[in-house]
Amino acid sequence: MTRINTNVSSLVAQNRLQSSNADLQKSLTRLSTGLRINSGSDDPAGLLASEALRSEITGLTKSISNTQRASQIISTADSALGQVSNLLNDVRGLVVEAGNSGALSSDEIAANQLQIDSSLEAINRIAQTTTFQGRKLLDGSQDYVSTVGSVSSIKDASIDQAKLGTTGKIDVSVDIKKAAEKASVDISSDAFNAADVDPTSNSEVAINELDITVGGEVITVRGNADLLASVEIEANNSLDAVAAVKAGSESGDIVIEVDGDTNASDVDDVLAALNGIDGLEATTAGAGTGAATAAVAQVTASAGDAANIEVTGDGLDSVTVNYVVGTDAAASAAFDADTNTVTVSLGTDADANTLSNIKTAITASDASISADIVDAAGDTTAANDSITISTTDLPEEATATKVSAGLKDDLVFQLSGVEGAETFNFGAGTTLDQIKSAVNLVSDATGVEASGTTDLTFTSSAYGTDALVSVDVISEGDDGAFVDSLSATRSTGKDIEASVNGVKASGDGNSLSINTSTLDLSLTVDEGSSTDFSFSITGGGATFQLGPDVNSTQQASLGIGSVSTGKLGGASGRLYELGSGQAKSLTNDVIGAGKIIDEVISKVVGARGRLGSFQSTTLESNLVSLNDTKANLQEAESSIRDADFAQESANLTRAQILVQSGTNVLSLANQNPQNVLSLLR
């Protein structure tokens, strides 16, 4: 059919040419923009996916920037802390040098103090001037705000990390299940003699008193309890046909033997036999009393007189007093230092043998010997100094042995603690107080202290499983009981056991700590404290946005405490106390200064380590992860949205050819109606 009103071929050619032009325009657009999707109509689903990916990429880009900024802040703080650490090391050297007071003059120590003061000022200056874009880092403004200071039992606290979440607050509850304990070794009183008698006193040793009946008369026998356990008469006590009396001692038993001759014995024979034994005194009714005392020899006065002379040997374990009849009219005395014996020569003039004269003679015999007149109760008196002593009332000699509340035999042992070990060498008789003094004198070098009144206790100065008390007995005499009296040869302390908000805490002495995803803190309580407590963290800290989404799981919070001298410190004190005129200055307490500086150095090093760990493990690893994620997302977004130039170049060529051919076809189609003219000719 031939038509002129409607050129169908032209219309078809126009449509095809329009479509080819659209394809050509699309290819040109993609090639010029490099994007496959330039509008929603290009790929609606792909557009949604690519826009979501672009949003994530934008967040990751900012997260990378945030992480890099956080790393720069941490590096700035760490650099400043490094300078503080250097200053603290200088201060420690000055403190150690000042401990050499025997070789340093007071001017040199004063010069060291000036250097310390300058270092403390420099540390305070660093705390105030360390900034990043105007934000101070080490003045405490980046630390957490809490009510921990209101808890009286907390000596030191460090809140390193806390996620406050949407509430902006964390309540911390600490439940102490078991308090920290020191290491301890007990030495029972069995290691020491039970009584302590000063040889310069009038105290008596343990004595025993027994009554026996001889010929109807009661004889009282008194003496050292170790010597006088019992008195026995063999074969009978009637004294009929008894010829002689013998006395001897074996294991504390006194045995009086009688023979069978026809010479009758009487009470005087028994008295003479008993009084012939050193350390015993036998009397009958009205004959006076006597007692054997520690390092003391007593002798009774004349019959019926309740007064005695008591001789004391200053610093001697025993004193023996022998009474003999002298050749001079007046009484005299001589002391033999080799045998610790005083020999009293009574005067030929009986009236000259008064207690007062004998006392004077004994005292004049040697500077280490003294004498007193005592009454029947053993109390010093001068009321009876004119009473005379008769030779008929004297035992041949009076003696006694000192009992000392000290070691039973020689002892050598090594005492070890966390600070070191010391070897102690004590002789027999060394008292508990003397051992305590010797141990406590070097307690700073061993970390072990001694205490006790009747029992001896070695206790570590520190708490926890690191605390140690070790007693190694190197040698002990045969009579010693020290090693058998030890409760243990080695003991360690116990760490505190506690939980924080239901989480079991790690204990170290009196310190406890936890490290969870939401809370990282360490606390030091009073020594041996078992008191539960609670406090709140209400704000503060430095918060870093490390992820693409703004929520607490993609944020890191870090507390950076103040390094000012008023804040730096620990259980032993604060750094400012090392300044001139303060409690721990070089002239006031150099040992205390050493303890504080060690704690401060440890705390600053710990802070640097914590910041370094945060930078390396959190920030740097996060930066690597973010970059990897961003690259993957960019690749995914590119695969969806970016144009494939090879394909689009082919599409462009095809579209160009189609446009050109379509144009030619359209030209031919437009010429078709002219064929009608040939029909009209």
Side-chain angles (χ1 to χ4, degrees):
M1 181 180 291
T2 302
R3 306 171 183 161
I4 61 172
N5 289 328
T6 303
N7 190 344
V8 177
S9 298
S10 176
L11 292 176
V12 172
Q14 289 178 42
N15 289 336
R16 296 302 179 189
L17 181 59
Q18 184 178 2
S19 176
S20 296
N21 280 326
D23 290 340
L24 178 61
Q25 186 62 40
K26 181 183 293 186
S27 294
L28 289 172
T29 301
R30 288 177 175 177
L31 289 172
S32 63
T33 61
L35 298 175
R36 186 181 70 84
I37 302 175
N38 291 284
S39 66
S41 61
D42 292 339
D43 185 354
L47 179 65
L48 292 175
S50 65
E51 286 297 330
L53 289 172
R54 279 190 171 187
S55 176
E56 290 186 35
I57 291 170
T58 301
L60 287 170
T61 302
K62 286 301 180 182
S63 297
I64 292 172
S65 175
N66 290 342
T67 302
Q68 291 172 336
R69 177 68 63 86
S71 182
Q72 293 164 358
I73 292 174
I74 298 301
S75 295
T76 302
D78 180 68
S79 177
L81 286 174
Q83 294 301 316
V84 172
S85 183
N86 291 336
L87 289 169
L88 291 174
N89 283 327
D90 292 340
V91 170
R92 190 180 190 282
L94 294 170
V95 170
V96 173
E97 185 179 34
N100 190 27
S101 59
L104 295 181
S105 67
S106 58
D107 290 339
E108 289 174 303
I109 294 177
N112 283 359
Q113 183 65 60
L114 289 176
Q115 286 183 261
I116 290 177
D117 293 342
S118 297
S119 296
L120 298 182
E121 292 175 4
I123 291 172
N124 284 330
R125 184 166 55 254
I126 291 173
Q128 293 298 320
T129 59
T130 302
T131 60
F132 188 92
Q133 288 190 336
R135 181 186 293 273
K136 293 184 178 181
L137 302 180
L138 301 179
D139 67 339
S141 59
Q142 304 302 313
D143 203 358
Y144 290 100
V145 178
S146 70
T147 59
V148 69
S150 63
V151 182
S152 59
S153 60
I154 296 180
K155 298 181 67 175
D156 191 34
S158 177
I159 304 173
D160 298 332
Q161 179 262 336
K163 289 185 178 179
L164 304 183
T166 56
T167 61
K169 177 183 177 181
I170 295 180
D171 292 325
V172 181
S173 177
V174 179
D175 178 18
I176 300 179
K177 304 181 184 302
K178 289 185 179 180
E181 296 180 6
K182 295 181 176 182
S184 178
V185 171
D186 295 324
I187 301 92
S188 70
S189 58
D190 295 338
F192 304 92
N193 288 316
D196 184 16
V197 180
D198 187 344
T200 63
S201 74
N202 294 328
S203 301
E204 295 183 349
V205 295
I207 62 172
N208 197 10
E209 181 176 304
L210 298 174
D211 289 337
I212 61 174
T213 301
V214 178
E217 280 193 57
V218 176
I219 297 178
T220 299
V221 185
R222 301 187 72 197
N224 191 305
D226 293 334
L227 179 65
L228 181 60
S230 66
V231 177
E232 182 179 355
I233 298 179
E234 295 181 355
N236 59 67
N237 62 357
S238 65
L239 297 184
D240 294 335
V242 174
V245 178
K246 300 178 181 179
S249 65
E250 181 178 355
S251 301
D253 296 327
I254 305 300
V255 180
I256 301 174
E257 298 178 348
V258 297
D259 60 17
D261 62 24
T262 57
N263 296 321
S265 299
D266 57 16
V267 175
D268 289 338
D269 294 327
V270 176
L271 288 175
L274 291 173
N275 285 324
I277 302 175
D278 292 347
L280 292 185
E281 183 176 24
T283 60
T284 60
T289 60
T293 61
V296 173
Q298 282 191 176
V299 61
T300 61
S302 298
D305 297 319
N308 306 310
I309 287 183
E310 187 174 68
V311 182
T312 302
D314 186 8
L316 303 179
D317 287 338
S318 64
V319 176
T320 300
V321 182
N322 292 329
Y323 292 87
V324 297
V325 178
T327 57
D328 298 330
S332 62
F335 176 67
D336 185 347
D338 293 332
T339 60
N340 294 340
T341 301
V342 178
T343 301
V344 178
S345 299
L346 297 178
T348 56
D349 183 355
D351 294 335
N353 296 325
T354 63
L355 297 182
S356 177
N357 290 340
I358 296 174
K359 169 187 172 182
T360 302
I362 293 174
T363 303
S365 65
D366 191 88
S368 62
I369 298 299
S370 60
D372 283 306
I373 301 171
V374 297
D375 58 21
D379 297 327
T380 302
T381 179
N384 301 314
D385 58 359
S386 61
I387 295 176
T388 60
I389 292 181
S390 171
T391 58
T392 59
D393 297 321
L394 294 175
E396 182 177 347
E397 66 180 54
T399 184
T401 302
K402 171 186 176 182
V403 177
S404 175
L407 292 173
K408 294 181 178 180
D409 211 329
D410 296 342
L411 173 68
V412 180
F413 68 91
Q414 177 177 282
L415 182 62
S416 304
V418 293
E419 301 295 337
E422 286 286 339
T423 299
F424 297 91
N425 189 338
F426 298 117
T430 303
T431 65
L432 184 146
D433 287 338
Q434 290 171 330
I435 295 176
K436 286 195 301 182
S437 297
V439 171
N440 291 332
L441 186 64
V442 294
S443 60
D444 60 334
T446 61
V448 179
E449 300 169 346
S451 61
T453 53
T454 57
D455 296 341
L456 181 63
T457 301
F458 294 147
T459 307
S460 64
S461 55
Y463 286 78
T465 53
D466 291 338
L468 168 70
V469 174
S470 176
V471 182
D472 180 15
V473 177
I474 299 172
S475 67
E476 185 176 18
D478 294 338
D479 295 331
F482 187 88
V483 67
D484 295 330
S485 303
L486 290 170
S487 62
T489 58
R490 181 182 177 89
S491 172
T492 57
K494 294 182 180 180
D495 294 323
I496 190 172
E497 295 183 15
S499 62
V500 180
N501 290 349
V503 179
K504 184 178 180 180
S506 298
D508 182 12
N510 289 297
S511 299
L512 58 98
S513 63
I514 64 166
N515 188 354
T516 66
S517 60
T518 58
L519 183 61
D520 180 4
L521 61 78
S522 58
L523 305 169
T524 301
V525 300
D526 289 337
E527 294 182 347
S529 175
S530 60
T531 303
D532 298 338
F533 56 87
S534 60
F535 61 92
S536 299
I537 303 172
T538 57
T543 301
F544 301 104
Q545 177 67 40
L546 304 182
D549 299 324
V550 183
N551 56 56
S552 60
T553 61
Q554 297 191 24
Q555 292 176 336
S557 183
L558 187 69
I560 305 177
S562 171
V563 297
S564 67
T565 58
K567 291 291 187 179
L568 278 179
S572 298
R574 301 294 176 183
L575 185 59
Y576 77 90
E577 296 182 58
L578 272 66
S580 295
Q582 299 295 329
K584 302 298 192 311
S585 66
L586 298 184
T587 55
N588 289 335
D589 186 3
V590 69
I591 295 177
K595 292 180 179 179
I596 290 178
I597 195 64
D598 285 342
E599 289 181 351
V600 171
I601 289 175
S602 177
K603 181 159 287 190
V604 171
V605 170
R608 292 190 67 188
R610 182 166 53 86
L611 292 178
S613 176
F614 178 74
Q615 185 176 23
S616 62
T617 61
T618 301
L619 297 182
E620 292 182 3
S621 63
N622 183 66
L623 189 61
V624 172
S625 176
L626 290 176
N627 280 322
D628 289 344
T629 303
K630 180 182 178 182
N632 292 329
L633 292 181
Q634 285 177 324
E635 181 181 1
E637 194 268 342
S638 175
S639 66
I640 296 173
R641 196 155 190 166
D642 288 349
D644 185 346
F645 270 69
Q647 180 180 348
E648 293 304 329
S649 297
N651 290 339
L652 176 64
T653 301
R654 175 178 175 277
Q656 286 176 329
I657 293 173
L658 289 175
V659 168
Q660 290 176 2
S661 63
T663 301
N664 291 332
V665 170
L666 179 61
S667 176
L668 293 175
N670 288 336
Q671 292 177 2
N672 283 339
Q674 295 180 1
N675 293 330
V676 176
L677 294 177
S678 63
L679 294 176
L680 297 176
R681 293 186 182 131

